[in-house]
Amino acid sequence: MTETPKNTKKLYVKTYGCQMNVYDSERMVEALGGQGYEETKTPDDADMILLNTCHIREKAAEKVYSELGRFKGLKAANPDLKIGVAGCVAQAEGEEIIRRQPMVDLVVGPQSYHRLPAMEQAVGEGRKALDTEFPDDDKFDTLRKRAKTKRGPTAFLTVQEGCDKFCAFCVVPYTRGAEVSRPADRIIREAQELVEAGVKEITLLGQNVNAYHGHDGGLAGLIWALDKVDGLERIRFTTSHPNDMDDALIEAHGTCDKLMPYLHLPVQSGSNSILKAMNRKHTRDEYFRLIERIRAARPDLLLSGDFIVGFPGETEADFEDTMDLIREVHYGQAYSFKYSTRPGTPAAEKPQLPDDVMDDRLQRLQTLLRDQQRATQDAMVGRTVKVLFEKAGREAGQMIGKSEYLHAVFAPCEDVAVGDLREVEVTTSATNSLGGRLV
Ligand code: 5AD
Ligand code: SF4
């Protein structure tokens, strides 16, 4: 009998930021699998530590340096321990990371992590490895194929990267580069592989996912192509820009059964003058009209958004416009942030608002959004939802999964297995979840 070779080295990956980083981390683990690494959940016994970083808001780089400081002891105890920084802070800081923290062996940007195996080898030979290029070769082509091993019922799949929108506050166009769409055939193949490994729900990812243009008909065309993948039950996508919500995509929300009734559609502000200063390229009325059309196509769709308070120049009246927009639209879920200066972005040049003004506005905004989220959840009580069960709940005899609307739902688990899609009648609503019983 031949023995399967075992991975012997341990890799600890810590992921910050968005879902695209979660996806990238998975692919990095797979890439380093070819170098004999297996993922471990703790840095203590790791042969390699990789921080996959996020640069979207302030102090990101400082957090990375202080996190690195915590690994000093481990490096002292094991000089062979390899330490790497990946992601958007790596892209933005580059060599500076190794200068400030010489125990870092490897710095790799989000567009070049397919080169990790060679970089790991260079580090093994005693060299430092730095790669923050935007290479011409397709990273996804070079990466190892997705593992055939059984996996959970949900997965992310990156279909588009980068952003050409240049919102005045945002570093993404600089850290992730120009908009690039992956070819549809590769995406469909990857989706099939994921389904073969047990995946039932795929969330298509992109910084500007609805600007996807790798398939006829754009993102809607890709969704319809994925709709034909047998065994794939649910499709989601995130994050979208209002200006890229084309007719076909809106229509798909009404006609494609596999496309879930949930849409993350950030507006950032409800004030026309702030929207203009942010370079969002649409007005509040245009956003309202868009929401109307989306809701006409799919009346029960749960809407989610992102908001920034305290953008330079935001007056109390501008802020009230944002509050008014939120009341008008009614969000089932939302993320909100204090404006944070990002060096190199156009807004960084403008005078900043006092912190206490921003704090006060953020608190008012979050109270309103929290109330809307809770009201949306409470309105689910008595309704029957379809839950894709993902894991055991904290309490004995319980399983947890997600409804079509992305609500976490707990239910008693007799004869329910991970990956089952079952109807659940919602009976209770708690802060961040729903409870129910199988129908
Ligand atoms: N300050 C605060 N929030 C920001 N975001 C992006 N850049 C900044 C910034 N400089 C928020 C936006 C975006 C989300 C991913 O992060 O709301 O939609
Ligand atoms: Fe940043 Fe705007 Fe692009 Fe979103 S659309 S990634 S906020 S520049």
Side-chain angles (χ1 to χ4, degrees):
M1 205 173 77
T2 50
E3 253 185 65
T4 27
K6 264 198 84 89
N7 285 342
T8 48
K9 292 180 277 183
K10 294 207 161 20
L11 170 66
Y12 172 73
V13 183
K14 184 159 179 182
T15 307
Y16 301 81
C18 67
Q19 291 144 325
M20 300 201 52
N21 268 12
V22 175
Y23 176 85
D24 288 345
S25 290
E26 258 182 39
R27 303 296 312 249
M28 289 190 232
V29 171
E30 290 168 6
L32 287 166
Q35 305 295 108
Y37 283 92
E38 196 173 62
E39 199 176 6
T40 170
K41 294 289 165 213
T42 142
D44 301 335
D45 63 346
D47 298 285
M48 180 164 179
I49 293 174
L50 205 51
L51 300 183
N52 192 10
T53 60
C54 169
H55 203 230
I56 197 89
R57 277 170 290 274
E58 238 164 352
K59 306 207 180 87
E62 294 315 310
K63 267 187 234 154
V64 172
Y65 288 118
S66 75
E67 183 75 35
L68 285 169
R70 294 180 39 208
F71 298 135
K72 264 196 184 129
L74 290 174
K75 183 90 172 181
N78 172 16
D80 290 334
L81 171 64
K82 300 183 176 81
I83 297 184
V85 179
C88 292
V89 174
Q91 188 65 41
E93 295 273 298
E95 238 174 312
E96 175 67 13
I97 297 179
I98 297 177
R99 235 190 327 264
R100 268 188 64 175
Q101 195 53 273
M103 70 174 188
V104 172
D105 302 293
L106 177 162
V107 174
V108 63
Q111 297 311 333
S112 29
Y113 66 74
H114 54 302
R115 296 176 176 169
L116 263 176
M119 295 174 77
E120 191 271 347
Q121 198 165 344
V123 171
E125 290 159 7
R127 281 173 281 148
K128 298 275 185 199
L130 170 82
D131 196 334
T132 52
E133 281 176 41
F134 290 105
D136 288 335
D137 48 332
D138 184 340
K139 150 176 99 189
F140 298 106
D141 272 358
T142 319
L143 283 165
R144 298 178 89 209
K145 283 185 70 163
R146 310 298 315 253
K148 282 269 189 290
T149 46
K150 179 112 178 81
R151 36 184 306 156
T154 65
F156 294 133
L157 204 177
T158 293
V159 303
Q160 181 277 336
E161 289 187 288
C163 181
D164 295 339
K165 296 279 189 296
F166 291 92
C167 296
F169 50 81
C170 186
V171 281
V172 165
Y174 311 97
T175 54
R176 291 267 177 171
E179 264 175 40
V180 181
S181 294
R182 289 180 67 192
D185 56 337
R186 319 265 166 76
I187 295 169
I188 292 162
R189 205 182 316 142
E190 192 173 329
Q192 280 160 344
E193 285 165 12
L194 288 169
V195 168
E196 280 161 27
V199 169
K200 301 237 168 102
E201 171 181 306
I202 290 179
T203 302
L204 307 175
L205 299 180
Q207 259 99 28
N208 235 301
V209 72
N210 59 342
Y212 177 79
H213 55 74
H215 194 284
D216 287 346
L219 184 64
L222 177 66
I223 288 169
W224 282 111
L226 290 168
D227 182 67
K228 295 198 192 80
V229 173
D230 275 343
L232 178 61
E233 307 276 354
R234 291 177 157 191
I235 303 167
R236 303 181 187 274
F237 62 89
T238 198
T239 287
S240 299
H241 190 288
N243 289 356
D244 291 317
M245 282 306 292
D246 62 21
D247 293 346
L249 189 55
I250 295 174
E251 194 188 318
H253 272 290
T255 49
C256 179
D257 289 341
K258 290 187 182 178
L259 185 58
M260 291 294 103
Y262 180 101
L263 180 63
H264 184 62
L265 196 63
V267 65
Q268 315 293 356
S269 167
S271 148
N272 277 334
S273 64
I274 294 298
L275 285 169
K276 192 154 195 290
M278 285 177 163
N279 193 30
R280 292 290 292 180
K281 301 197 181 83
H282 66 77
T283 63
R284 60 186 264 132
D285 279 342
E286 283 162 349
Y287 185 77
F288 284 141
R289 260 177 275 137
L290 176 62
I291 300 296
E292 263 170 36
R293 287 170 55 221
I294 296 166
R295 285 193 167 141
R298 184 75 203 223
D300 62 335
L301 180 126
L302 191 146
L303 205 69
S304 158
D306 289 342
F307 297 91
I308 295 177
V309 301
F311 184 80
E314 186 189 74
T315 62
E316 179 62 22
D318 290 321
F319 174 70
E320 275 307 331
D321 280 350
T322 302
M323 295 289 275
D324 177 74
L325 177 141
I326 294 170
R327 281 184 211 106
E328 188 90 10
V329 171
H330 203 282
Y331 290 87
Q333 159 90 51
Y335 305 88
S336 48
F337 314 96
K338 263 198 309 190
Y339 170 72
S340 160
T341 312
R342 309 310 295 125
T345 60
E349 309 295 321
K350 306 212 184 128
Q352 309 296 304
L353 260 60
D355 229 26
D356 57 337
V357 172
M358 291 207 261
D359 284 334
D360 172 64
R361 288 182 189 165
L362 186 65
Q363 213 204 335
R364 283 147 68 199
L365 182 110
Q366 289 188 335
T367 305
L368 175 59
L369 289 169
R370 232 187 339 261
D371 288 350
Q372 292 195 346
Q373 181 180 329
R374 190 59 200 255
T376 308
Q377 258 184 231
D378 292 351
M380 297 306 299
V381 176
R383 284 182 57 181
T384 297
V385 292
K386 211 157 186 194
V387 177
L388 175 59
F389 284 98
E390 291 176 22
K391 57 183 182 196
R394 264 191 301 271
E395 280 171 36
Q398 225 182 24
M399 290 274 282
I400 181 165
K402 296 272 167 59
S403 77
E404 303 88 322
Y405 309 99
L406 215 53
H407 284 129
V409 182
F410 289 89
C413 68
E414 308 97 56
D415 76 11
V416 178
V418 168
D420 283 357
L421 257 171
R422 298 282 295 269
E423 293 208 319
V424 173
E425 187 196 338
V426 179
T427 52
T428 57
S429 162
T431 314
N432 286 310
S433 62
L434 300 171
R437 58 172 167 262
L438 298 172
V439 174

PDB file of all heavy atoms in Angstrom, residues 109-134:
ATOM      1  N   GLY A 109       1.735  41.440  -2.288  1.00  0.00           N
ATOM      2  CA  GLY A 109       0.504  42.184  -2.559  1.00  0.00           C
ATOM      3  C   GLY A 109      -0.612  41.278  -3.046  1.00  0.00           C
ATOM      4  O   GLY A 109      -0.366  40.126  -3.424  1.00  0.00           O
ATOM      5  N   PRO A 110      -1.836  41.790  -3.067  1.00  0.00           N
ATOM      6  CA  PRO A 110      -3.000  40.962  -3.427  1.00  0.00           C
ATOM      7  C   PRO A 110      -2.991  40.480  -4.879  1.00  0.00           C
ATOM      8  O   PRO A 110      -3.705  39.540  -5.214  1.00  0.00           O
ATOM      9  CB  PRO A 110      -4.197  41.886  -3.204  1.00  0.00           C
ATOM     10  CG  PRO A 110      -3.698  43.182  -2.740  1.00  0.00           C
ATOM     11  CD  PRO A 110      -2.213  43.154  -2.668  1.00  0.00           C
ATOM     12  N   GLN A 111      -2.196  41.124  -5.738  1.00  0.00           N
ATOM     13  CA  GLN A 111      -2.181  40.676  -7.139  1.00  0.00           C
ATOM     14  C   GLN A 111      -1.056  39.708  -7.442  1.00  0.00           C
ATOM     15  O   GLN A 111      -0.929  39.236  -8.564  1.00  0.00           O
ATOM     16  CB  GLN A 111      -2.068  41.889  -8.078  1.00  0.00           C
ATOM     17  CG  GLN A 111      -3.235  42.854  -8.007  1.00  0.00           C
ATOM     18  CD  GLN A 111      -4.583  42.169  -8.099  1.00  0.00           C
ATOM     19  OE1 GLN A 111      -4.728  41.094  -8.678  1.00  0.00           O
ATOM     20  NE2 GLN A 111      -5.588  42.771  -7.487  1.00  0.00           N
ATOM     21  N   SER A 112      -0.205  39.443  -6.459  1.00  0.00           N
ATOM     22  CA  SER A 112       0.954  38.598  -6.785  1.00  0.00           C
ATOM     23  C   SER A 112       1.090  37.379  -5.875  1.00  0.00           C
ATOM     24  O   SER A 112       2.128  36.730  -5.873  1.00  0.00           O
ATOM     25  CB  SER A 112       2.233  39.437  -6.781  1.00  0.00           C
ATOM     26  OG  SER A 112       2.160  40.528  -5.912  1.00  0.00           O
ATOM     27  N   TYR A 113       0.024  37.033  -5.139  1.00  0.00           N
ATOM     28  CA  TYR A 113       0.209  35.946  -4.165  1.00  0.00           C
ATOM     29  C   TYR A 113       0.314  34.558  -4.797  1.00  0.00           C
ATOM     30  O   TYR A 113       0.644  33.594  -4.120  1.00  0.00           O
ATOM     31  CB  TYR A 113      -0.836  36.006  -3.041  1.00  0.00           C
ATOM     32  CG  TYR A 113      -2.265  35.758  -3.430  1.00  0.00           C
ATOM     33  CD1 TYR A 113      -2.707  34.477  -3.732  1.00  0.00           C
ATOM     34  CD2 TYR A 113      -3.197  36.784  -3.437  1.00  0.00           C
ATOM     35  CE1 TYR A 113      -4.032  34.229  -4.052  1.00  0.00           C
ATOM     36  CE2 TYR A 113      -4.519  36.568  -3.766  1.00  0.00           C
ATOM     37  CZ  TYR A 113      -4.930  35.287  -4.074  1.00  0.00           C
ATOM     38  OH  TYR A 113      -6.234  35.047  -4.396  1.00  0.00           O
ATOM     39  N   HIS A 114       0.048  34.467  -6.119  1.00  0.00           N
ATOM     40  CA  HIS A 114       0.289  33.181  -6.793  1.00  0.00           C
ATOM     41  C   HIS A 114       1.782  32.873  -6.831  1.00  0.00           C
ATOM     42  O   HIS A 114       2.175  31.757  -7.129  1.00  0.00           O
ATOM     43  CB  HIS A 114      -0.288  33.195  -8.204  1.00  0.00           C
ATOM     44  CG  HIS A 114       0.176  34.339  -9.049  1.00  0.00           C
ATOM     45  ND1 HIS A 114      -0.010  35.652  -8.686  1.00  0.00           N
ATOM     46  CD2 HIS A 114       0.836  34.369 -10.240  1.00  0.00           C
ATOM     47  CE1 HIS A 114       0.504  36.436  -9.618  1.00  0.00           C
ATOM     48  NE2 HIS A 114       1.027  35.684 -10.565  1.00  0.00           N
ATOM     49  N   ARG A 115       2.598  33.891  -6.541  1.00  0.00           N
ATOM     50  CA  ARG A 115       4.049  33.663  -6.529  1.00  0.00           C
ATOM     51  C   ARG A 115       4.566  33.259  -5.153  1.00  0.00           C
ATOM     52  O   ARG A 115       5.778  33.134  -4.945  1.00  0.00           O
ATOM     53  CB  ARG A 115       4.764  34.927  -6.997  1.00  0.00           C
ATOM     54  CG  ARG A 115       4.429  35.271  -8.445  1.00  0.00           C
ATOM     55  CD  ARG A 115       5.061  36.572  -8.834  1.00  0.00           C
ATOM     56  NE  ARG A 115       4.851  36.887 -10.249  1.00  0.00           N
ATOM     57  CZ  ARG A 115       5.123  38.077 -10.781  1.00  0.00           C
ATOM     58  NH1 ARG A 115       5.607  39.034 -10.028  1.00  0.00           N
ATOM     59  NH2 ARG A 115       4.904  38.298 -12.066  1.00  0.00           N
ATOM     60  N   LEU A 116       3.646  33.061  -4.226  1.00  0.00           N
ATOM     61  CA  LEU A 116       4.047  32.700  -2.853  1.00  0.00           C
ATOM     62  C   LEU A 116       4.948  31.470  -2.774  1.00  0.00           C
ATOM     63  O   LEU A 116       5.922  31.492  -1.994  1.00  0.00           O
ATOM     64  CB  LEU A 116       2.794  32.457  -1.992  1.00  0.00           C
ATOM     65  CG  LEU A 116       2.309  33.623  -1.128  1.00  0.00           C
ATOM     66  CD1 LEU A 116       1.008  33.238  -0.435  1.00  0.00           C
ATOM     67  CD2 LEU A 116       3.352  34.007  -0.089  1.00  0.00           C
ATOM     68  N   PRO A 117       4.659  30.393  -3.524  1.00  0.00           N
ATOM     69  CA  PRO A 117       5.532  29.226  -3.385  1.00  0.00           C
ATOM     70  C   PRO A 117       7.006  29.565  -3.659  1.00  0.00           C
ATOM     71  O   PRO A 117       7.883  29.193  -2.876  1.00  0.00           O
ATOM     72  CB  PRO A 117       4.971  28.243  -4.428  1.00  0.00           C
ATOM     73  CG  PRO A 117       3.511  28.601  -4.504  1.00  0.00           C
ATOM     74  CD  PRO A 117       3.478  30.096  -4.357  1.00  0.00           C
ATOM     75  N   ALA A 118       7.258  30.314  -4.737  1.00  0.00           N
ATOM     76  CA  ALA A 118       8.648  30.683  -5.052  1.00  0.00           C
ATOM     77  C   ALA A 118       9.210  31.613  -3.978  1.00  0.00           C
ATOM     78  O   ALA A 118      10.391  31.514  -3.602  1.00  0.00           O
ATOM     79  CB  ALA A 118       8.700  31.360  -6.419  1.00  0.00           C
ATOM     80  N   MET A 119       8.359  32.473  -3.460  1.00  0.00           N
ATOM     81  CA  MET A 119       8.824  33.416  -2.435  1.00  0.00           C
ATOM     82  C   MET A 119       9.177  32.671  -1.152  1.00  0.00           C
ATOM     83  O   MET A 119      10.177  32.962  -0.502  1.00  0.00           O
ATOM     84  CB  MET A 119       7.733  34.466  -2.156  1.00  0.00           C
ATOM     85  CG  MET A 119       7.453  35.368  -3.364  1.00  0.00           C
ATOM     86  SD  MET A 119       6.064  36.481  -3.090  1.00  0.00           S
ATOM     87  CE  MET A 119       6.820  37.735  -2.047  1.00  0.00           C
ATOM     88  N   GLU A 120       8.333  31.682  -0.828  1.00  0.00           N
ATOM     89  CA  GLU A 120       8.589  30.886   0.381  1.00  0.00           C
ATOM     90  C   GLU A 120       9.927  30.171   0.252  1.00  0.00           C
ATOM     91  O   GLU A 120      10.711  30.094   1.206  1.00  0.00           O
ATOM     92  CB  GLU A 120       7.442  29.880   0.555  1.00  0.00           C
ATOM     93  CG  GLU A 120       7.434  29.163   1.893  1.00  0.00           C
ATOM     94  CD  GLU A 120       8.247  27.876   1.924  1.00  0.00           C
ATOM     95  OE1 GLU A 120       8.638  27.364   0.865  1.00  0.00           O
ATOM     96  OE2 GLU A 120       8.500  27.378   3.038  1.00  0.00           O
ATOM     97  N   GLN A 121      10.182  29.681  -0.965  1.00  0.00           N
ATOM     98  CA  GLN A 121      11.442  28.979  -1.203  1.00  0.00           C
ATOM     99  C   GLN A 121      12.637  29.930  -1.039  1.00  0.00           C
ATOM    100  O   GLN A 121      13.632  29.584  -0.403  1.00  0.00           O
ATOM    101  CB  GLN A 121      11.441  28.400  -2.617  1.00  0.00           C
ATOM    102  CG  GLN A 121      12.475  27.317  -2.768  1.00  0.00           C
ATOM    103  CD  GLN A 121      12.224  26.517  -4.037  1.00  0.00           C
ATOM    104  OE1 GLN A 121      11.129  26.577  -4.621  1.00  0.00           O
ATOM    105  NE2 GLN A 121      13.220  25.795  -4.474  1.00  0.00           N
ATOM    106  N   ALA A 122      12.497  31.135  -1.579  1.00  0.00           N
ATOM    107  CA  ALA A 122      13.578  32.128  -1.454  1.00  0.00           C
ATOM    108  C   ALA A 122      13.864  32.407   0.015  1.00  0.00           C
ATOM    109  O   ALA A 122      15.024  32.490   0.443  1.00  0.00           O
ATOM    110  CB  ALA A 122      13.178  33.408  -2.181  1.00  0.00           C
ATOM    111  N   VAL A 123      12.786  32.525   0.802  1.00  0.00           N
ATOM    112  CA  VAL A 123      12.963  32.783   2.231  1.00  0.00           C
ATOM    113  C   VAL A 123      13.683  31.602   2.884  1.00  0.00           C
ATOM    114  O   VAL A 123      14.586  31.786   3.714  1.00  0.00           O
ATOM    115  CB  VAL A 123      11.598  33.054   2.913  1.00  0.00           C
ATOM    116  CG1 VAL A 123      11.748  33.110   4.422  1.00  0.00           C
ATOM    117  CG2 VAL A 123      10.986  34.348   2.381  1.00  0.00           C
ATOM    118  N   GLY A 124      13.329  30.382   2.447  1.00  0.00           N
ATOM    119  CA  GLY A 124      13.986  29.169   2.962  1.00  0.00           C
ATOM    120  C   GLY A 124      15.481  29.185   2.681  1.00  0.00           C
ATOM    121  O   GLY A 124      16.271  28.599   3.425  1.00  0.00           O
ATOM    122  N   GLU A 125      15.855  29.882   1.603  1.00  0.00           N
ATOM    123  CA  GLU A 125      17.278  29.977   1.247  1.00  0.00           C
ATOM    124  C   GLU A 125      17.945  31.195   1.880  1.00  0.00           C
ATOM    125  O   GLU A 125      19.051  31.584   1.511  1.00  0.00           O
ATOM    126  CB  GLU A 125      17.418  30.019  -0.285  1.00  0.00           C
ATOM    127  CG  GLU A 125      17.064  28.680  -0.931  1.00  0.00           C
ATOM    128  CD  GLU A 125      16.695  28.806  -2.408  1.00  0.00           C
ATOM    129  OE1 GLU A 125      16.848  29.912  -2.967  1.00  0.00           O
ATOM    130  OE2 GLU A 125      16.239  27.790  -2.970  1.00  0.00           O
ATOM    131  N   GLY A 126      17.213  31.836   2.783  1.00  0.00           N
ATOM    132  CA  GLY A 126      17.826  32.911   3.562  1.00  0.00           C
ATOM    133  C   GLY A 126      17.648  34.302   2.980  1.00  0.00           C
ATOM    134  O   GLY A 126      18.256  35.253   3.457  1.00  0.00           O
ATOM    135  N   ARG A 127      16.815  34.419   1.936  1.00  0.00           N
ATOM    136  CA  ARG A 127      16.605  35.750   1.361  1.00  0.00           C
ATOM    137  C   ARG A 127      15.281  36.340   1.820  1.00  0.00           C
ATOM    138  O   ARG A 127      14.399  35.621   2.265  1.00  0.00           O
ATOM    139  CB  ARG A 127      16.602  35.655  -0.174  1.00  0.00           C
ATOM    140  CG  ARG A 127      18.005  35.555  -0.745  1.00  0.00           C
ATOM    141  CD  ARG A 127      17.963  35.287  -2.241  1.00  0.00           C
ATOM    142  NE  ARG A 127      17.687  33.872  -2.506  1.00  0.00           N
ATOM    143  CZ  ARG A 127      17.008  33.422  -3.554  1.00  0.00           C
ATOM    144  NH1 ARG A 127      16.480  34.269  -4.406  1.00  0.00           N
ATOM    145  NH2 ARG A 127      16.826  32.132  -3.740  1.00  0.00           N
ATOM    146  N   LYS A 128      15.157  37.655   1.711  1.00  0.00           N
ATOM    147  CA  LYS A 128      13.857  38.303   1.924  1.00  0.00           C
ATOM    148  C   LYS A 128      13.115  38.285   0.587  1.00  0.00           C
ATOM    149  O   LYS A 128      13.755  38.326  -0.468  1.00  0.00           O
ATOM    150  CB  LYS A 128      14.043  39.768   2.345  1.00  0.00           C
ATOM    151  CG  LYS A 128      14.792  39.930   3.660  1.00  0.00           C
ATOM    152  CD  LYS A 128      13.867  39.825   4.844  1.00  0.00           C
ATOM    153  CE  LYS A 128      14.616  40.124   6.141  1.00  0.00           C
ATOM    154  NZ  LYS A 128      13.924  39.621   7.335  1.00  0.00           N
ATOM    155  N   ALA A 129      11.798  38.221   0.626  1.00  0.00           N
ATOM    156  CA  ALA A 129      11.031  38.183  -0.627  1.00  0.00           C
ATOM    157  C   ALA A 129       9.971  39.277  -0.618  1.00  0.00           C
ATOM    158  O   ALA A 129       9.189  39.395   0.336  1.00  0.00           O
ATOM    159  CB  ALA A 129      10.376  36.822  -0.796  1.00  0.00           C
ATOM    160  N   LEU A 130       9.972  40.091  -1.675  1.00  0.00           N
ATOM    161  CA  LEU A 130       9.029  41.200  -1.779  1.00  0.00           C
ATOM    162  C   LEU A 130       8.398  41.183  -3.165  1.00  0.00           C
ATOM    163  O   LEU A 130       9.109  41.099  -4.163  1.00  0.00           O
ATOM    164  CB  LEU A 130       9.784  42.523  -1.574  1.00  0.00           C
ATOM    165  CG  LEU A 130       9.006  43.803  -1.870  1.00  0.00           C
ATOM    166  CD1 LEU A 130       8.135  44.198  -0.682  1.00  0.00           C
ATOM    167  CD2 LEU A 130       9.957  44.954  -2.191  1.00  0.00           C
ATOM    168  N   ASP A 131       7.081  41.217  -3.234  1.00  0.00           N
ATOM    169  CA  ASP A 131       6.416  41.297  -4.534  1.00  0.00           C
ATOM    170  C   ASP A 131       5.104  42.066  -4.393  1.00  0.00           C
ATOM    171  O   ASP A 131       4.122  41.564  -3.841  1.00  0.00           O
ATOM    172  CB  ASP A 131       6.144  39.894  -5.106  1.00  0.00           C
ATOM    173  CG  ASP A 131       5.824  39.951  -6.602  1.00  0.00           C
ATOM    174  OD1 ASP A 131       5.344  41.001  -7.058  1.00  0.00           O
ATOM    175  OD2 ASP A 131       6.063  38.943  -7.287  1.00  0.00           O
ATOM    176  N   THR A 132       5.131  43.303  -4.862  1.00  0.00           N
ATOM    177  CA  THR A 132       3.902  44.108  -4.828  1.00  0.00           C
ATOM    178  C   THR A 132       3.597  44.614  -6.235  1.00  0.00           C
ATOM    179  O   THR A 132       3.088  45.707  -6.420  1.00  0.00           O
ATOM    180  CB  THR A 132       4.043  45.309  -3.861  1.00  0.00           C
ATOM    181  OG1 THR A 132       5.244  46.021  -4.203  1.00  0.00           O
ATOM    182  CG2 THR A 132       4.125  44.858  -2.436  1.00  0.00           C
ATOM    183  N   GLU A 133       3.918  43.771  -7.200  1.00  0.00           N
ATOM    184  CA  GLU A 133       3.652  44.161  -8.588  1.00  0.00           C
ATOM    185  C   GLU A 133       2.187  43.901  -8.948  1.00  0.00           C
ATOM    186  O   GLU A 133       1.479  43.187  -8.254  1.00  0.00           O
ATOM    187  CB  GLU A 133       4.516  43.320  -9.529  1.00  0.00           C
ATOM    188  CG  GLU A 133       5.942  43.807  -9.623  1.00  0.00           C
ATOM    189  CD  GLU A 133       6.758  42.884 -10.492  1.00  0.00           C
ATOM    190  OE1 GLU A 133       6.236  42.451 -11.533  1.00  0.00           O
ATOM    191  OE2 GLU A 133       7.894  42.592 -10.108  1.00  0.00           O
ATOM    192  N   PHE A 134       1.786  44.463 -10.092  1.00  0.00           N
ATOM    193  CA  PHE A 134       0.519  44.072 -10.694  1.00  0.00           C
ATOM    194  C   PHE A 134       0.898  43.279 -11.948  1.00  0.00           C
ATOM    195  O   PHE A 134       0.961  43.833 -13.040  1.00  0.00           O
ATOM    196  CB  PHE A 134      -0.313  45.306 -11.074  1.00  0.00           C
ATOM    197  CG  PHE A 134      -0.852  46.045  -9.878  1.00  0.00           C
ATOM    198  CD1 PHE A 134      -0.302  47.249  -9.472  1.00  0.00           C
ATOM    199  CD2 PHE A 134      -1.913  45.527  -9.152  1.00  0.00           C
ATOM    200  CE1 PHE A 134      -0.806  47.934  -8.370  1.00  0.00           C
ATOM    201  CE2 PHE A 134      -2.425  46.204  -8.048  1.00  0.00           C
ATOM    202  CZ  PHE A 134      -1.865  47.409  -7.653  1.00  0.00           C
TER     203      PHE A 134
END
